[in-house]
Amino acid sequence: MNIEIWKEDWRQEKSWLKTFLVFYFFRVLRNDISWRLLSDKNREWILRSNLIPNLERPGYADPENYGGGKTFDSKKNRKSTAKGLLLANYLEKYQPKSVLEIGPGAGFDTRMICDFPSVKRYVGVDINPAFTDFLQPRLNKFALSKKDFSFSLHTGDFKSMAFEPVNSIIFLSAVHHIPDRNELFASIKEPLVEGGTLFLYEPSHYLPRIDLITRKFLRGYYGPKYRNELSGLATHNFCTAEEFEKVFHKVGQLKMEKCFHLRLEFPFFVNRILRAYLNRKGVFRTPENWFMVEGANNPLRFFANRIAVIAQKSTRS
Ligand SMILES: C[S@@+](CC[C@H](N)C(=O)[O-])C[C@H]1O[C@@H](n2cnc3c(N)ncnc32)[C@H](O)[C@@H]1O
């Protein structure tokens, strides 16, 4: 793969995707809808563009400083974030023995997964070698300190790999880098054993996101120069409960067990009213003080910035 050649080829490419309106809809539509509407050629460009931030983004090339120093070594309490708290509750409830994590990055939450008493086997895969190189010596050391614990780390695109059977698959802010979700879930349900579970925590694609994208368009942020750079295509098409339900149904054997919507943000004219109402109702607040509601169909999901999902595999219909 020669990213520099791809970048130059994209600059020369005449594609509808470079036009203002098509690019706007590509960004603003729900991921599965925009993916379905794209031509095979444009999908190929998007898959290529996704490799650029994953391999070249400065924070990604320097794991030590990823996320402001939130790494495997960090002493910070993992449960001080909604992501960590939901992950801890998930581990507590399902007590997985073996976990496959896609996209561990610098491993801040990986530490909690590996530390969890029921977890005896950890498999991690990251497309970025800087992250797996960073995690390898840390996991080597960790494995010496935990009885009966073993791990394996793989570098590359999870799609090109076959994994051993596991009880749990975890994605923390990684699904939104992967636009072909039918392919994603069809491939990862294979290593999941009967009754095994998936845990996902991702940025969501509802009104706050649509509002932000639209405002960026109106301000000229996604101008011709932006659209002419391959990195501008990189999919940050965030996630929705609707898309997950649809994809799980399509690939089969995966059933949504739980869905949480969090970091609710309201437009200014209903902000005070809705906040007061949710406070009165005693709606759960995360450690970051975000509102969090439960249910794939909860109407408040339209105001959410984050989504967490637990799904279970069952071959019985
Ligand atoms: C936003 S980071 C999240 C890192 C970490 N899980 C966290 O929550 O801080 C996304 C991670 O997914 C990895 N990734 C993206 N696409 C991938 C793919 N196709 N296969 C494996 N890893 C991938 C990236 O290299 C990166 O480490």
Side-chain angles (χ1 to χ4, degrees):
M1 115 186 56
N2 189 330
I3 291 181
E4 290 313 314
I5 294 179
W6 288 349
K7 285 181 184 172
E8 195 42 45
D9 285 351
W10 174 249
R11 287 185 199 113
Q12 306 303 329
E13 181 84 2
K14 304 236 175 307
S15 166
W16 280 102
L17 197 48
K18 286 188 182 179
T19 60
F20 181 84
L21 265 186
V22 175
F23 194 77
Y24 173 71
F25 283 111
F26 157 63
R27 277 266 185 248
V28 92
L29 289 174
R30 208 173 84 186
N31 177 68
D32 54 323
I33 300 172
S34 70
W35 191 249
R36 209 174 54 227
L37 293 174
L38 287 162
S39 65
D40 287 346
K41 202 167 175 205
N42 282 332
R43 287 183 190 163
E44 194 51 47
W45 278 117
I46 290 161
L47 293 176
R48 287 178 179 181
S49 74
N50 279 351
L51 294 173
I52 298 174
N54 285 319
L55 296 175
E56 290 187 346
R57 209 164 104 178
Y60 284 17
D62 178 14
E64 200 80 52
N65 292 313
Y66 177 75
K70 278 167 83 182
T71 73
F72 190 86
D73 300 330
S74 170
K75 298 273 180 285
K76 205 170 168 207
N77 176 9
R78 268 68 179 165
K79 293 188 202 167
S80 65
T81 65
K83 189 195 260 185
L85 192 62
L86 285 165
L87 176 62
N89 291 344
Y90 161 76
L91 293 169
E92 199 60 58
K93 173 155 187 210
Y94 292 95
Q95 302 279 324
K97 284 194 178 65
S98 49
V99 173
L100 164 62
E101 186 184 16
I102 314 274
F108 180 70
D109 296 297
T110 305
R111 178 69 193 243
M112 181 162 76
I113 298 170
C114 294
D115 254 337
F116 195 78
S118 72
V119 176
K120 301 293 180 202
R121 175 85 181 148
Y122 171 83
V123 181
V125 53
D126 204 294
I127 200 164
N128 187 330
F131 286 138
T132 43
D133 288 351
F134 178 81
L135 286 176
Q136 185 73 44
R138 286 159 175 85
L139 280 165
N140 282 339
K141 194 168 161 208
F142 177 86
L144 296 175
S145 67
K146 183 172 173 179
K147 196 167 172 272
D148 299 331
F149 176 84
S150 69
F151 76 95
S152 71
L153 269 183
H154 306 269
T155 309
D157 188 345
F158 75 91
K159 274 188 284 183
S160 58
M161 296 178 191
F163 297 104
E164 60 195 81
V166 286
N167 302 115
S168 159
I169 301 183
I170 296 178
F171 290 85
L172 301 168
S173 309
V175 174
H176 71 279
H177 290 285
I178 302 160
D180 187 346
R181 312 238 163 111
N182 286 331
E183 192 188 17
L184 163 67
F185 289 106
S187 73
I188 57 124
K189 80 170 187 198
E190 292 309 323
L192 209 52
V193 300
E194 175 73 18
T197 50
L198 282 180
F199 176 84
L200 324 165
Y201 181 94
E202 296 290 328
S204 60
H205 190 89
Y206 288 113
L207 291 172
R209 175 77 181 154
I210 293 168
D211 174 58
L212 179 76
I213 293 172
T214 306
R215 274 189 288 130
K216 277 181 157 182
F217 262 95
L218 295 177
R219 280 200 227 111
Y221 178 85
Y222 296 121
K225 223 172 134 199
Y226 184 101
R227 302 195 298 269
N228 210 34
E229 288 305 321
L230 188 57
S231 54
L233 279 188
T235 322
H236 281 107
N237 278 15
F238 292 177
C239 303
T240 58
E242 289 80 354
E243 181 185 12
F244 286 138
E245 295 259 43
K246 204 170 140 205
V247 177
F248 293 165
H249 182 74
K250 179 150 189 183
V251 304
Q253 300 178 356
L254 292 174
K255 188 171 162 280
M256 197 184 284
E257 288 293 315
K258 289 248 176 241
C259 182
F260 301 94
H261 299 279
L262 51 157
R263 199 168 174 185
L264 305 184
E265 226 173 67
F266 307 109
F268 65 97
F269 53 94
V270 286
N271 188 25
R272 288 179 77 152
I273 304 167
L274 278 176
R275 284 186 169 272
Y277 173 76
L278 295 179
N279 272 333
R280 263 236 326 266
K281 285 260 167 200
V283 167
F284 182 80
R285 298 272 200 147
T286 69
E288 298 93 336
N289 213 17
W290 302 336
F291 285 116
M292 179 169 99
V293 292
E294 199 182 328
N297 298 322
N298 192 311
L300 288 169
R301 71 186 182 284
F302 294 112
F303 300 103
N305 280 286
R306 297 282 183 278
I307 181 169
V309 167
I310 297 172
Q312 189 156 38
K313 176 169 169 177
S314 167
T315 49
R316 280 174 245 118
S317 52

